[in-house]
Amino acid sequence: MTGVRGYFHPKTATGAASLVPAPPWRYSGDLLTVEYRTDPARVRELLPPPLEPAPDDPGAVALIWADWQSCSASGEELLDPVRAQYKEAFAAVRCSYRGRLYSRCVYIWVDKDFAIARGLHQGYPKKLGSIHQTRPHPFGPAPRLEAGARLGATLAAADRRIAQAVVTLHRPSSTSGFVNAHPMAHHRWLPSIEKGKGLALDELVESAAASFDGGQAWTGEAELELFEAPTEELARLAVREPIAAYYRQVGVVWDGGRLLESHTSGAGD
């Protein structure tokens, strides 16, 4: 008797209903990044042990909007766009683990269920949200990628707007920011099904792109506003000082991560 199939839930006789296929997962996206400084104590409170704040510029935050097309190795989802296209917005900070610098996603919102499922696997704390950003285009009224171009972005969750930005591009850039420029240090947590038994899964993992390519980055400045909401805490990372804003088109392949520590099945190296 054969077992049920599928990389993720639901596992079925054929596996066709699985919410996400097995990696590698391939991404093409337009990224709009706003970097700023907040109170370092607000970053520290989001870093569970053994993670520590970055030794330099510990209050740096990147708020990133991304308009993605994604697919499995076959690329078949690109011809069924409802399975490929989604948007997300996330807040990244930097942290230190055993003397090495990492990035860490502390908040993230997406608009598709398959993106949430991938996040559960990778350790991203994904929630549903409504995400929109201006798409540059070489024709018509949309902004072109040139000095003076203005791009907008909004983020809402549970019907409340929690962030909005307007980015003005100034010039080409050799970078698209420094906060989200390291491997990610994430936790994979799952509570035990038995009350009072703590966590059935408690892992600290490292995750990075297996490959990356990108177009010309542009940099400029941003007007960023964060708003309070009953069930969101992004506004605790209040803007103290702007750093810069960036726009870039990128291509990424993700094909697994590395266990750093486990408190349920032994320790990583």
Side-chain angles (χ1 to χ4, degrees):
M1 184 174 181
T2 59
V4 291
R5 301 176 182 177
Y7 186 74
F8 208 80
H9 305 306
K11 290 180 178 290
T12 63
T14 70
S18 179
L19 194 50
V20 292
W25 299 329
R26 302 161 56 202
Y27 303 81
S28 300
D30 293 51
L31 271 59
L32 192 64
T33 300
V34 179
E35 292 187 335
Y36 67 93
R37 293 183 177 93
T38 191
D39 181 351
R42 295 303 195 195
V43 174
R44 176 183 284 274
E45 70 184 15
L46 294 170
L47 301 176
L51 302 180
E52 296 288 342
D56 63 300
D57 215 349
V61 179
L63 188 54
I64 302 169
W65 279 263
D67 190 349
W68 291 114
Q69 296 185 82
S70 65
C71 64
S72 57
S74 70
E76 63 186 66
E77 297 89 346
L78 297 174
L79 299 182
D80 188 10
V82 70
R83 297 162 57 201
Q85 296 176 3
Y86 74 100
K87 295 186 286 293
E88 72 183 7
F90 63 98
V93 301
R94 296 180 307 148
C95 60
S96 177
Y97 171 73
R98 293 186 178 180
R100 184 179 181 187
L101 199 58
Y102 285 89
S103 301
R104 180 177 175 89
C105 176
V106 292
Y107 299 115
I108 181 168
W109 297 263
V110 299
D111 61 3
K112 289 289 182 69
D113 57 358
F114 62 80
I116 288 182
R118 288 194 301 224
L120 291 174
H121 179 62
Q122 297 167 308
Y124 284 87
K126 293 188 176 183
K127 301 174 70 173
L128 280 177
S130 177
I131 303 102
H132 297 278
Q133 65 192 82
T134 305
R135 294 170 176 161
H137 199 279
F139 304 104
R144 291 150 175 78
L145 289 180
E146 59 188 10
R150 304 182 79 220
L151 311 172
T154 62
L155 166 62
D159 291 334
R160 277 96 170 181
R161 181 167 292 190
I162 57 176
Q164 64 186 29
V166 175
V167 171
T168 302
L169 300 181
H170 291 334
R171 59 188 178 278
S173 172
S174 61
T175 178
S176 50
F178 70 96
V179 178
N180 195 44
H182 310 280
M184 309 298 288
H186 286 159
H187 279 85
R188 287 165 25 108
W189 288 315
L190 182 67
S192 172
I193 196 68
E194 298 185 59
K195 292 180 66 175
K197 291 296 184 67
L199 294 173
L201 178 68
D202 185 2
E203 294 181 344
L204 177 63
V205 299
E206 176 185 304
S207 180
S211 66
F212 172 90
D213 61 337
Q216 175 64 61
W218 281 77
T219 187
E221 59 187 356
E223 305 163 30
L224 175 63
E225 296 178 87
L226 306 179
F227 306 104
E228 300 281 352
T231 58
E232 302 297 344
E233 300 181 58
L234 179 63
R236 291 179 65 84
L237 298 175
V239 180
R240 276 191 170 181
E241 178 188 1
I243 298 176
Y246 304 91
Y247 173 86
R248 193 180 190 187
Q249 292 184 313
V250 302
V252 180
V253 175
W254 188 88
D255 198 17
R258 183 171 73 96
L259 180 64
L260 298 175
E261 289 190 13
S262 173
H263 298 282
T264 53
S265 59
D269 59 3

mmCIF file of all heavy atoms in Angstrom, residues 10 13 62 67 75 99 155 178 187 203 207 211 223 233 238 240 253:
data_model
loop_
_atom_site.group_PDB
_atom_site.id
_atom_site.type_symbol
_atom_site.label_atom_id
_atom_site.label_comp_id
_atom_site.label_asym_id
_atom_site.label_seq_id
_atom_site.Cartn_x
_atom_site.Cartn_y
_atom_site.Cartn_z
ATOM 1 N N PRO A 10 -1.814 19.773 1.698
ATOM 2 C CA PRO A 10 -2.282 18.451 2.124
ATOM 3 C C PRO A 10 -1.563 17.345 1.363
ATOM 4 O O PRO A 10 -1.312 17.475 0.167
ATOM 5 C CB PRO A 10 -3.764 18.482 1.766
ATOM 6 C CG PRO A 10 -3.833 19.393 0.584
ATOM 7 C CD PRO A 10 -2.770 20.444 0.797
ATOM 8 N N ALA A 13 -3.090 11.172 -2.414
ATOM 9 C CA ALA A 13 -2.688 9.996 -3.181
ATOM 10 C C ALA A 13 -1.727 10.351 -4.304
ATOM 11 O O ALA A 13 -0.802 9.593 -4.618
ATOM 12 C CB ALA A 13 -3.919 9.289 -3.737
ATOM 13 N N ALA A 62 15.359 47.601 7.628
ATOM 14 C CA ALA A 62 14.950 47.695 6.218
ATOM 15 C C ALA A 62 13.499 47.266 6.118
ATOM 16 O O ALA A 62 13.139 46.173 6.574
ATOM 17 C CB ALA A 62 15.823 46.813 5.336
ATOM 18 N N ASP A 67 7.367 42.560 -5.301
ATOM 19 C CA ASP A 67 6.359 42.071 -6.247
ATOM 20 C C ASP A 67 6.980 40.877 -6.963
ATOM 21 O O ASP A 67 7.863 41.044 -7.813
ATOM 22 C CB ASP A 67 6.011 43.194 -7.229
ATOM 23 C CG ASP A 67 4.804 42.871 -8.088
ATOM 24 O OD1 ASP A 67 4.353 41.707 -8.080
ATOM 25 O OD2 ASP A 67 4.311 43.784 -8.779
ATOM 26 N N GLY A 75 9.201 25.425 -13.666
ATOM 27 C CA GLY A 75 8.713 26.701 -14.177
ATOM 28 C C GLY A 75 7.263 26.680 -14.610
ATOM 29 O O GLY A 75 6.751 27.683 -15.128
ATOM 30 N N GLY A 99 29.447 35.496 16.698
ATOM 31 C CA GLY A 99 30.375 36.415 16.065
ATOM 32 C C GLY A 99 30.142 36.666 14.591
ATOM 33 O O GLY A 99 30.876 37.447 13.976
ATOM 34 N N LEU A 155 1.076 49.051 2.742
ATOM 35 C CA LEU A 155 0.924 47.767 3.425
ATOM 36 C C LEU A 155 -0.238 47.878 4.397
ATOM 37 O O LEU A 155 -0.295 48.807 5.207
ATOM 38 C CB LEU A 155 2.213 47.421 4.187
ATOM 39 C CG LEU A 155 2.123 46.298 5.218
ATOM 40 C CD1 LEU A 155 1.754 44.972 4.565
ATOM 41 C CD2 LEU A 155 3.435 46.182 5.987
ATOM 42 N N PHE A 178 22.136 47.599 3.004
ATOM 43 C CA PHE A 178 23.048 46.782 3.799
ATOM 44 C C PHE A 178 22.343 45.958 4.872
ATOM 45 O O PHE A 178 22.903 44.989 5.377
ATOM 46 C CB PHE A 178 24.113 47.674 4.472
ATOM 47 C CG PHE A 178 23.591 48.564 5.576
ATOM 48 C CD1 PHE A 178 23.683 48.166 6.907
ATOM 49 C CD2 PHE A 178 23.020 49.795 5.281
ATOM 50 C CE1 PHE A 178 23.205 48.990 7.921
ATOM 51 C CE2 PHE A 178 22.536 50.616 6.292
ATOM 52 C CZ PHE A 178 22.636 50.214 7.609
ATOM 53 N N HIS A 187 14.111 31.391 13.231
ATOM 54 C CA HIS A 187 13.656 30.304 14.087
ATOM 55 C C HIS A 187 12.487 29.577 13.440
ATOM 56 O O HIS A 187 11.612 30.199 12.829
ATOM 57 C CB HIS A 187 13.225 30.836 15.459
ATOM 58 C CG HIS A 187 14.363 31.073 16.390
ATOM 59 N ND1 HIS A 187 15.086 32.258 16.383
ATOM 60 C CD2 HIS A 187 14.932 30.294 17.348
ATOM 61 C CE1 HIS A 187 16.029 32.195 17.311
ATOM 62 N NE2 HIS A 187 15.964 31.019 17.908
ATOM 63 N N GLU A 203 14.089 25.279 16.383
ATOM 64 C CA GLU A 203 15.339 25.291 15.622
ATOM 65 C C GLU A 203 15.742 26.711 15.256
ATOM 66 O O GLU A 203 14.900 27.534 14.889
ATOM 67 C CB GLU A 203 15.188 24.509 14.317
ATOM 68 C CG GLU A 203 14.969 23.023 14.483
ATOM 69 C CD GLU A 203 14.847 22.316 13.145
ATOM 70 O OE1 GLU A 203 14.632 23.006 12.111
ATOM 71 O OE2 GLU A 203 14.959 21.077 13.124
ATOM 72 N N SER A 207 19.598 30.589 6.440
ATOM 73 C CA SER A 207 18.981 30.465 5.127
ATOM 74 C C SER A 207 19.542 31.543 4.218
ATOM 75 O O SER A 207 19.663 32.701 4.619
ATOM 76 C CB SER A 207 17.456 30.625 5.252
ATOM 77 O OG SER A 207 16.812 30.504 4.012
ATOM 78 N N SER A 211 21.485 30.957 -5.442
ATOM 79 C CA SER A 211 22.045 31.798 -6.506
ATOM 80 C C SER A 211 21.271 33.101 -6.549
ATOM 81 O O SER A 211 20.125 33.177 -6.091
ATOM 82 C CB SER A 211 21.988 31.090 -7.864
ATOM 83 O OG SER A 211 20.654 30.907 -8.281
ATOM 84 N N GLU A 223 9.890 58.938 1.946
ATOM 85 C CA GLU A 223 8.987 59.415 2.992
ATOM 86 C C GLU A 223 8.255 58.178 3.496
ATOM 87 O O GLU A 223 7.493 57.566 2.762
ATOM 88 C CB GLU A 223 7.998 60.433 2.436
ATOM 89 C CG GLU A 223 8.644 61.606 1.726
ATOM 90 C CD GLU A 223 7.639 62.359 0.854
ATOM 91 O OE1 GLU A 223 6.435 62.371 1.200
ATOM 92 O OE2 GLU A 223 8.058 62.886 -0.182
ATOM 93 N N GLU A 233 2.584 45.166 15.352
ATOM 94 C CA GLU A 233 3.567 45.873 16.166
ATOM 95 C C GLU A 233 4.671 46.520 15.341
ATOM 96 O O GLU A 233 5.696 46.939 15.895
ATOM 97 C CB GLU A 233 4.178 44.910 17.189
ATOM 98 C CG GLU A 233 3.154 44.309 18.140
ATOM 99 C CD GLU A 233 3.786 43.382 19.163
ATOM 100 O OE1 GLU A 233 4.684 43.842 19.910
ATOM 101 O OE2 GLU A 233 3.397 42.201 19.205
ATOM 102 N N ALA A 238 9.722 52.469 15.247
ATOM 103 C CA ALA A 238 9.471 53.836 14.784
ATOM 104 C C ALA A 238 10.691 54.430 14.091
ATOM 105 O O ALA A 238 11.844 54.127 14.437
ATOM 106 C CB ALA A 238 9.069 54.707 15.969
ATOM 107 N N ARG A 240 13.432 56.858 13.458
ATOM 108 C CA ARG A 240 14.206 57.908 14.125
ATOM 109 C C ARG A 240 15.009 58.727 13.123
ATOM 110 O O ARG A 240 15.149 59.941 13.272
ATOM 111 C CB ARG A 240 15.172 57.298 15.147
ATOM 112 C CG ARG A 240 14.599 57.005 16.505
ATOM 113 C CD ARG A 240 15.724 56.656 17.485
ATOM 114 N NE ARG A 240 15.253 56.585 18.851
ATOM 115 C CZ ARG A 240 16.036 56.323 19.891
ATOM 116 N NH1 ARG A 240 17.342 56.116 19.707
ATOM 117 N NH2 ARG A 240 15.552 56.277 21.113
ATOM 118 N N VAL A 253 17.290 32.017 -6.358
ATOM 119 C CA VAL A 253 16.943 30.606 -6.198
ATOM 120 C C VAL A 253 17.180 30.234 -4.745
ATOM 121 O O VAL A 253 18.252 30.511 -4.195
ATOM 122 C CB VAL A 253 17.777 29.695 -7.115
ATOM 123 C CG1 VAL A 253 17.461 28.222 -6.834
ATOM 124 C CG2 VAL A 253 17.525 30.022 -8.579
#
